[in-house]
Amino acid sequence: RVSINQMEADGDLDLQRIEAELAEAAAKRVATMLRKPEDLEKVEQYRRMIVRRKAGVEAQLKTSIQTQLEDVRTGLSKLKTAVPEIREIRDSMADVDKHCSTCKELNRHIDKIKDVSRQHNQLSAACDNLKHIVRVPETVADAEELISKGDLLKAHKLLTDLEGTRDDLLFQLHKTTSERITERHPVNAYFAKVASVSDLLAKQLWFVMQRALNAVRSDPTKLVTALRIIEREEKFDARALEREKAVGFLPPGRPKEWRKKCFDTLEQATIHRFESQQPPDESENKIWLAVYLERIKRIIIDDIDIVKTLFIPCFPPHYNISVHYVEMYHRCLQTLLDDLASQQREANEIIHLLSWVVQYPEIMKHPKVDVDVAVFEPLLSPTAIAELERDYTDKTRHALTEYAGRMIEADIQDWYRDQIPDADVGGRYHTSVAVLLFQMLDQNLSVVDAVGLNLKMQILQVCMDVLEMFQKEYRGAVDNVKLKYWQSERREPRYYVEYMTAIANNCHSCTEFTEQMKVRVLGDVDVEEEERIEHHFRETAIAFTEISQMSCDYLLDMVYTDLQPHLAELFNKKWLQSGASLGTVDVTMQDYGADFRHLRDRFYNYLVQQAQHRLLVEYIRAMLQKKTQFKSKDERKKAAEKIKKESMHIGSIFQKLSETANPHACTVLEMLAEVIEIKDTDLLPLELEGLANKHPDMREEHAMALLSLRGDVNKSQAKEIIGQTKLANIDSDREEVESRDVEGGYFSEIHFPSGGRFG
């Protein structure tokens, strides 16, 4: 009761709250409508509008209440009529229970009823198929005749009827619970020729599929007929398998799987098409493999073009025949290339094979094909490709090594010819060895461009190794020809100077070709490899330059061998009184200079610089090593003047030979002359200090020899004078000698026996 009272109190409160809210809302509404004094004129209009709205709401409320009352009345009426119907159903169910209880005695006769029903069904099926059963031999003969005439659709219709009759009979036997396997034998024996008709028809179908590429162009109807029959058989297979799942019966010969056999036949035909392409005779055609692979490429493009343009309209869409054909051709290519790669191949055959494999994606991008083969497995496995590349690299190394060796032998034979070497338009002698060598290397690098960077780097390494071997053997050959020339007393080879000049030029050409090869190769490699490769090329170029310089040095040996008798006259007893002692040197240098003009400019200038350097060394050696002394002031002055005069003469000799000759190289002689000429011995330490600063390879023994040449300084005085210079402290420092430059390194080549000139 308390709860009810509480609820009533809460209800009254809610009602009061609602009324308050409504009143407040009404006040706001009125305030909204009557904002201005002139709005009071519309009060009557607002009242009529509100009355109409209230009447509409009340009408809707009355309609809703009336509809709910009608629905309640209808429901009560249906409930009233349902009562007798429920009672009737209850009585009927009771009758059913009563009748079922009286059927228990029929269970004893159910098996007999089933047997009778089964026999009736079998007889009914036999009667229905009697016409077909009687005509089986005749139908088989008709089907065979139609197959022989090529009317495959009609033949397949007859075959379908025969198989349907046989399967119906076998199914009826299958449903018999007392069925034994032996009961099927008569039926199977009677319909035995049906299977042979099926095989005969299948043989014709596979014959058409084997020649599908020709059939689709000449008579596409045959191909379409074969595919229609195959698709029908696929449907029959599906139905047979469904019935097997349902009742456990599967007709003999099912599933035939003719679609699978169709694809197998197409693949076998593709394999046969590749196998039928006999490669050209290897003995008659060195590029037989390239010709053969080009033929295979043409077949692929043409066949897939036929498939994409003619097969697609003939084959069912779900066959996806174009993709399937591409896959078949890809598998056949894998087999073919694996077989080619597994056999021993020549180097050119390996490169043809690898190039074709690399080009294969582009081949398949041909407008007639337009297939992305990236989704397929590679034509050759990485292992097979690596093995081919290794084999090609080994064969290339062997071939290039032999070729380089033969070129050196041929070049050596040229050196002993009784004619001068060829000359270019500038008159520079050369032989063909440099051009032939780098042509071969460039050809080998160009050949592998189409294969890939990995093989190119391997072949590049082979080329660098071959160049290293070539340099070593070529250097040895140059040494040998020089040795033989001197052993034969300069009679053989006859044109020693000319061919030694050609050798220097050849190696200079090799240096240029090396630089060109470097520029071409470095454009293809990544940054990590670039530094290593550039180092190899730099070392190779340096080695060729060294051989060129060595050849120039051998030419100078010959020059100074001729000059040796004249250089021996320097600083002897008659030297001071003699006239121009360097006249013969000048003539000889100009004579040989004309021969050396056939050198490339770089090495001609090198030879002139080396000749000047060597002449200065020989001059200083004669000055310091001979026992000549100038004991009087007049002799020292005369000797100094002659040394200065000959210094100018030496400078003019080499300026005539080359404008690049160092005009200041002979100043060393002038400085030596100053030491000899100076009158005040107290100034000797200063002069020696200046000489040592200018020529850091000068040592104490050189200064001792120079002071001994004056004739007015004894050994102890010489040591005292030298002790006042830095020469006394750097005598044992040989590293500075090793690091001298060529122009200033005269004294390091001059050595004295123990004791020197004072000894």
Side-chain angles (χ1 to χ4, degrees), residues 249-409:
F249 172 73
L250 185 66
R254 295 287 178 188
K256 292 184 179 180
E257 297 183 332
W258 278 9
R259 184 189 297 168
K260 180 178 180 300
K261 292 178 182 177
C262 168
F263 283 123
D264 291 343
T265 304
L266 290 174
E267 185 152 4
Q268 288 300 318
T270 303
I271 294 172
H272 177 71
R273 182 156 174 75
F274 277 95
E275 291 176 347
S276 64
Q277 301 300 319
Q278 293 296 326
D281 190 350
E282 299 182 27
S283 60
E284 297 179 358
N285 192 344
K286 296 299 182 182
I287 59 170
W288 69 270
L289 186 56
V291 175
Y292 178 58
L293 291 174
E294 183 63 26
R295 190 185 304 165
I296 295 298
K297 168 187 171 182
R298 194 74 260 162
I299 289 173
I300 293 172
I301 294 174
D302 292 343
D303 288 359
I304 295 181
D305 181 37
I306 292 172
V307 170
K308 297 186 75 172
T309 55
L310 301 179
F311 269 33
I312 291 178
C314 297
F315 279 77
H318 60 273
Y319 274 48
N320 205 6
I321 190 62
S322 62
V323 175
H324 189 79
Y325 243 91
V326 171
E327 291 175 350
M328 287 193 302
Y329 272 64
H330 188 79
R331 287 194 294 270
C332 291
L333 276 175
Q334 284 180 312
T335 303
L336 173 66
L337 296 181
D338 279 338
D339 181 60
L340 291 173
S342 63
Q343 302 175 25
Q344 191 67 26
R345 295 293 172 200
E346 297 295 331
N348 67 315
E349 296 171 355
I350 294 174
I351 208 65
H352 289 150
L353 186 59
L354 290 174
S355 299
W356 201 89
V357 171
V358 173
Q359 296 168 7
Y360 176 63
E362 291 301 319
I363 293 173
M364 300 304 282
K365 286 291 185 181
H366 190 280
K368 292 184 178 181
V369 181
D370 193 20
V371 173
D372 184 6
V373 296
V375 297
F376 302 135
E377 294 182 357
L379 285 179
L380 287 175
S381 66
T383 303
I385 290 177
E387 183 63 31
L388 285 173
E389 289 181 348
R390 183 163 50 252
D391 192 17
Y392 179 77
T393 302
D394 293 342
K395 285 181 168 61
T396 302
R397 183 185 300 277
H398 178 72
L400 288 179
T401 302
E402 284 191 347
Y403 184 80
R406 289 197 300 271
M407 283 193 298
I408 293 174
E409 293 174 1

Side-chain angles (χ1 to χ4, degrees), residues 122-179:
Q122 291 175 356
L123 291 173
S124 176
C127 291
D128 293 340
N129 294 299
L130 184 60
K131 179 181 178 181
H132 298 295
I133 294 172
V134 173
R135 296 187 69 253
V136 165
E138 181 182 350
T139 306
V140 168
D142 291 343
E144 291 175 345
E145 183 178 358
L146 289 171
I147 292 172
S148 64
K149 292 179 179 179
D151 197 348
L152 302 184
L153 276 178
K154 292 182 179 179
H156 183 253
K157 178 65 173 64
L158 295 180
L159 175 63
T160 302
D161 293 340
L162 290 171
E163 290 180 339
T165 301
R166 179 198 62 188
D167 295 345
D168 285 345
L169 292 176
L170 291 175
F171 181 64
Q172 294 302 326
L173 291 174
H174 174 76
K175 292 193 296 183
T176 305
T177 55
S178 59
E179 176 194 0

Side-chain angles (χ1 to χ4, degrees), residues 393-675:
T393 302
D394 293 342
K395 285 181 168 61
T396 302
R397 183 185 300 277
H398 178 72
L400 288 179
T401 302
E402 284 191 347
Y403 184 80
R406 289 197 300 271
M407 283 193 298
I408 293 174
E409 293 174 1
D411 209 46
I412 293 173
Q413 293 176 1
D414 288 344
W415 299 345
Y416 290 90
R417 292 191 305 174
D418 287 334
Q419 64 183 50
I420 62 174
D422 297 331
D424 59 17
V425 292
R428 278 78 172 180
Y429 290 141
H430 65 86
T431 61
S432 59
V433 63
V435 174
L436 294 178
L437 174 64
F438 278 86
Q439 276 183 349
M440 178 57 65
L441 298 181
D442 283 338
Q443 287 173 5
N444 279 271
L445 287 172
S446 299
V447 162
V448 297
D449 275 340
V451 177
L453 185 59
N454 183 50
L455 182 58
K456 186 173 182 178
M457 290 299 100
Q458 295 181 46
I459 297 304
L460 176 61
Q461 186 60 52
V462 170
C463 292
M464 302 309 292
D465 293 342
V466 169
L467 283 176
E468 184 178 352
M469 179 277 297
F470 176 86
Q471 291 166 348
K472 182 178 179 181
E473 294 190 6
Y474 201 62
R475 185 191 295 268
V478 174
D479 286 335
N480 289 336
V481 73
K482 174 229 176 183
L483 182 63
K484 189 169 185 179
Y485 178 72
W486 291 107
Q487 288 176 345
S488 65
E489 297 181 354
R490 302 173 66 174
R491 291 193 299 270
E492 187 180 1
R494 178 180 176 183
Y495 294 103
Y496 174 79
V497 174
E498 289 79 1
Y499 278 101
M500 194 60 69
T501 301
I503 290 168
N505 292 337
N506 288 340
C507 290
H508 181 66
S509 297
C510 289
T511 304
E512 293 177 339
F513 292 147
T514 300
E515 184 64 25
Q516 294 171 10
M517 182 187 294
K518 181 188 76 171
V519 172
R520 186 168 72 86
V521 169
L522 288 182
D524 300 330
V525 301
D526 52 29
V527 178
E528 295 180 357
E529 285 290 313
E530 184 174 341
E531 184 176 351
R532 182 184 65 83
I533 293 173
E534 192 166 4
H535 173 74
H536 280 305
F537 277 109
R538 186 165 53 251
E539 293 297 320
T540 301
I542 290 172
F544 278 122
T545 300
E546 289 175 350
I547 298 175
S548 293
Q549 292 175 347
M550 181 184 73
S551 302
C552 293
D553 293 339
Y554 289 168
L555 291 173
L556 284 179
D557 289 343
M558 183 179 60
V559 174
Y560 279 94
T561 300
D562 291 346
L563 291 177
Q564 199 60 44
H566 306 287
L567 295 176
E569 296 176 359
L570 295 172
F571 293 94
N572 58 14
K573 294 181 179 180
K574 299 180 181 180
W575 172 78
L576 191 59
Q577 287 76 29
S578 65
S581 57
L582 295 177
T584 306
V585 174
D586 191 354
V587 173
T588 303
M589 283 295 181
Q590 300 307 319
D591 183 37
Y592 275 109
D595 294 334
F596 297 156
R597 282 290 180 183
H598 296 286
L599 280 166
R600 293 285 191 93
D601 291 343
R602 174 184 176 184
F603 291 102
Y604 175 78
N605 293 331
Y606 168 82
L607 188 144
V608 171
Q609 291 172 1
Q610 290 299 307
Q612 184 180 27
H613 176 84
R614 189 178 295 192
L615 181 57
L616 291 173
V617 169
E618 294 298 328
Y619 193 96
I620 297 171
R621 178 181 286 113
M623 181 188 300
L624 300 182
Q625 287 186 346
K626 291 186 177 180
K627 299 296 185 180
T628 302
Q629 287 185 334
F630 309 113
K631 297 185 178 181
S632 67
K633 292 180 180 180
D634 293 337
E635 285 184 349
R636 288 194 289 273
K637 182 178 180 180
K638 187 177 180 179
E641 290 175 351
K642 185 168 186 177
I643 292 172
K644 292 177 181 179
K645 182 178 179 180
E646 291 183 343
S647 171
M648 295 176 63
H649 192 182
I650 292 172
S652 66
I653 291 173
F654 292 101
Q655 283 295 318
K656 287 187 288 184
L657 290 174
S658 173
E659 294 179 356
T660 62
N662 185 1
H664 305 294
C666 297
T667 56
V668 62
L669 299 184
E670 297 175 3
M671 297 181 73
L672 292 172
E674 290 293 337
V675 174

Side-chain angles (χ1 to χ4, degrees), residues 39-224:
D39 290 338
L40 292 174
E41 296 175 0
K42 300 178 182 179
V43 170
E44 184 61 27
Q45 181 182 345
Y46 289 149
R47 187 184 66 77
R48 286 196 300 270
M49 182 181 65
I50 292 171
V51 169
R52 284 196 302 271
R53 188 177 297 171
K54 179 180 179 184
V57 172
E58 289 177 352
Q60 290 178 359
L61 181 60
K62 288 178 182 179
T63 302
S64 299
I65 293 172
Q66 185 65 32
T67 301
Q68 290 179 358
L69 290 174
E70 289 295 333
D71 291 341
V72 172
R73 188 180 294 110
T74 302
L76 292 173
S77 176
K78 288 182 178 181
L79 288 174
K80 184 178 179 180
T81 58
V83 172
E85 292 177 357
I86 292 172
R87 289 173 181 169
E88 185 179 353
I89 292 171
R90 183 186 60 190
D91 295 340
S92 298
M93 291 300 295
D95 291 340
V96 170
D97 289 340
K98 181 179 178 182
H99 288 305
C100 287
S101 63
T102 61
C103 293
K104 295 180 181 179
E105 296 296 327
L106 296 177
N107 286 336
R108 293 177 298 172
H109 308 288
I110 192 67
D111 292 336
K112 293 180 180 180
I113 294 172
K114 289 180 180 179
D115 291 339
V116 172
S117 175
R118 188 177 297 110
Q119 291 173 6
H120 175 77
N121 291 335
Q122 291 175 356
L123 291 173
S124 176
C127 291
D128 293 340
N129 294 299
L130 184 60
K131 179 181 178 181
H132 298 295
I133 294 172
V134 173
R135 296 187 69 253
V136 165
E138 181 182 350
T139 306
V140 168
D142 291 343
E144 291 175 345
E145 183 178 358
L146 289 171
I147 292 172
S148 64
K149 292 179 179 179
D151 197 348
L152 302 184
L153 276 178
K154 292 182 179 179
H156 183 253
K157 178 65 173 64
L158 295 180
L159 175 63
T160 302
D161 293 340
L162 290 171
E163 290 180 339
T165 301
R166 179 198 62 188
D167 295 345
D168 285 345
L169 292 176
L170 291 175
F171 181 64
Q172 294 302 326
L173 291 174
H174 174 76
K175 292 193 296 183
T176 305
T177 55
S178 59
E179 176 194 0
R180 296 176 183 175
I181 298 299
T182 55
E183 293 180 6
R184 289 189 177 192
H185 291 170
V187 177
N188 289 331
Y190 187 74
F191 287 92
K193 289 189 176 181
V194 175
S196 64
V197 173
S198 178
D199 293 340
L200 184 61
L201 178 61
K203 185 177 180 180
Q204 290 299 315
L205 296 178
W206 310 148
F207 181 81
V208 173
M209 300 312 297
Q210 285 173 352
R211 291 159 178 77
L213 289 171
N214 294 327
V216 77
R217 287 178 289 183
S218 59
D219 189 3
T221 305
K222 289 184 178 181
L223 180 61
V224 174

